[in-house]
Amino acid sequence: MPGRATSAGMRVQPLVLVIDDSITYRTAIAQALRSAGYVVVAAATGEEGLRAASRLRPDVVVVDRVLPDIDGTEVIRDIRLEPALRRTPCLLITADEDPTVEYAALETGADAYVRKGDDLSVLLARVAALRRDAPEIVDAPASPAARRVMLVAPDGAPHVSQARALPPEEYEVFEVASPSDAVSAIRGGEVACAVIVMTNLAGGVSTLDQIRSAARDAHVPVLVMQDGSVPADASHILARGADDYVSASDDPGLYAARMRALLRRKDMDDEDRRVAQTLRRHEQAASAAEARADVAEQESEFKDRFLAIMSHELRTPLNAILGFTQMLERGVGGPLTAVHHRHVSGIVRSAEHLLTLVNDVLDLAKIRAGKLALRRDVVDLGAVADTARLTASSIASQRGVVLHVDIPADLPPVRGDAVRIQQILYNLLSNGLKFTPPEGAVHLAAAVDGKSVRIDVRDTGIGIPRTDFPRLFRDFERLEHGQSQQADGTGLGLALTRQLVELQGGRIDVESEVGVGSTFSVWLPIASA
Ligand code: ADP
């Protein structure tokens, strides 16, 4: 038997709230329910019952129609008004034999109805049927249920016309003669409710047995309509798995009301299942995304470690290659022919390029792994800019570009790592020089800007389209515009520069106009600030 979900998510016995002022009847119902495995809470008045319902959120409410303070149908209406209880199945009991009372009860929101004269087994069977309907978190239909009611009627069943009149107007009615056709229609998602038109008890029960599990799986309620002449036992039919039971010889309006109650509950349950399923999908998507993020993080950590180790290992032999070829180039081992000299120079340029790449990769990998140790010294920018200018001057003269460096003598010192600041300035200067045509100029200037020193590296080069700005600082990004592809480079310089600036508490920005030039600006904190 499905139980209630507690806040801890455990399933416990279902709770039934019984509201009845007659102590005798109340005790009898409570005992019957308890022996069927329910937990029962009893209330003697409507007010008391409503308070208990709010507090306890029962799985089913059984309420007597006549109470000393409020009418039982009013109690059900009030329960329906409370959002948390809106979907709690409510069963109305009455001593009244008048079918219009049941009709009214179903219309005001009761899900089922029991007469006091009925055997208690009928009440137990109805409570069980209401509980069966309670939505479990299982697969819900993807779309709202079909608005079709299926009559399962053997050929020549005498009461088909009454059965046809049962469903509300907005539902289409269709008929099948065999239980296997009924099962196919249910599995095909075509059915909102199935009505078995029973011509004899054995046939009806057999049909019910054959379609019951398909109907349960598809959350399709099953109503059995008995031929008035068949003395069927209501509680037997309900216990066998039907959700409700009507007799063809009774008031058709009443049974239409019962069917409406079944369909209403099915709609609410389907909606619950859809909401639960959506929530579950979101949870699954969130945990899959989390797992993917974990894997991505691990992969990225692995990649950074791998790159750090590889570049470290590459640097030693590369420095040796560079050292020996530079010696050859300078003629230390004896004079070279012009051809040999050209070839050796080619090796030197390529080895230098490779060393820059390896150094940048190593630095980036160290930064990503949080392993790049930076000093926090008081740094005189004038001295650092001078060294950067000296290193960049060979590129400037090779390219025929003028290089100006203009650092005011009274510029306050910044806080950071002198070697890394020099690397930043060199990267920006060499880019400016690389992307500026001969006879152009690259200008390095600095000034106080609030609590920072702002350093501008301005060139009169090819410029950068604004749409490319977001790509500039990404790893291995080289832009395709102008002649920029022809210049030497790895596409790592600006990515590394930005990381180095930010690690020292600064920031970097760019302004540029295609064909006019670019200005890269770096802000670094003033040492005294
Ligand atoms: P690279 O090693 O290619 O210079 P960077 O990360 O330093 O790598 O620069 C990335 C790309 O940004 C360059 O390939 C170039 O297309 C563009 N770029 C950088 N600086 C400038 C500049 N001053 N003028 C024009 N384009 C530039």
Side-chain angles (χ1 to χ4, degrees), residues 18-29:
V18 177
I19 312 173
D20 194 321
D21 60 325
S22 146
I23 182 147
T24 325
Y25 196 63
R26 200 168 67 218
T27 314
I29 301 175

Side-chain angles (χ1 to χ4, degrees), residues 329-376:
E329 194 186 25
R330 287 202 304 272
V332 174
L336 299 181
T337 66
V339 175
H340 288 163
H341 192 270
R342 213 173 50 246
H343 290 171
V344 168
S345 296
I347 299 174
V348 171
R349 297 291 86 74
S350 296
E352 279 171 353
H353 179 69
L354 202 52
L355 189 62
T356 314
L357 173 64
V358 167
N359 282 337
D360 285 358
V361 167
L362 182 61
D363 282 346
L364 270 175
K366 275 193 195 157
I367 290 173
R368 303 264 153 83
K371 295 225 166 77
L372 188 83
L374 285 180
R375 300 176 64 92
R376 299 203 26 85

Side-chain angles (χ1 to χ4, degrees), residues 485-497:
Q485 281 288 321
Q486 287 159 23
D488 268 359
T490 60
L492 283 177
L494 286 178
L496 181 59
T497 300

Side-chain angles (χ1 to χ4, degrees), residues 431-432 434-435 459 462-464 472 477-479 481 484 488-495 518 520:
N431 273 352
K434 274 193 306 188
F435 300 111
D459 64 56
I462 58 174
I464 303 160
L472 275 177
E477 285 279 6
R478 306 195 65 211
L479 310 181
H481 69 282
S484 86
D488 268 359
T490 60
L492 283 177
L494 286 178
S518 313
F520 283 82

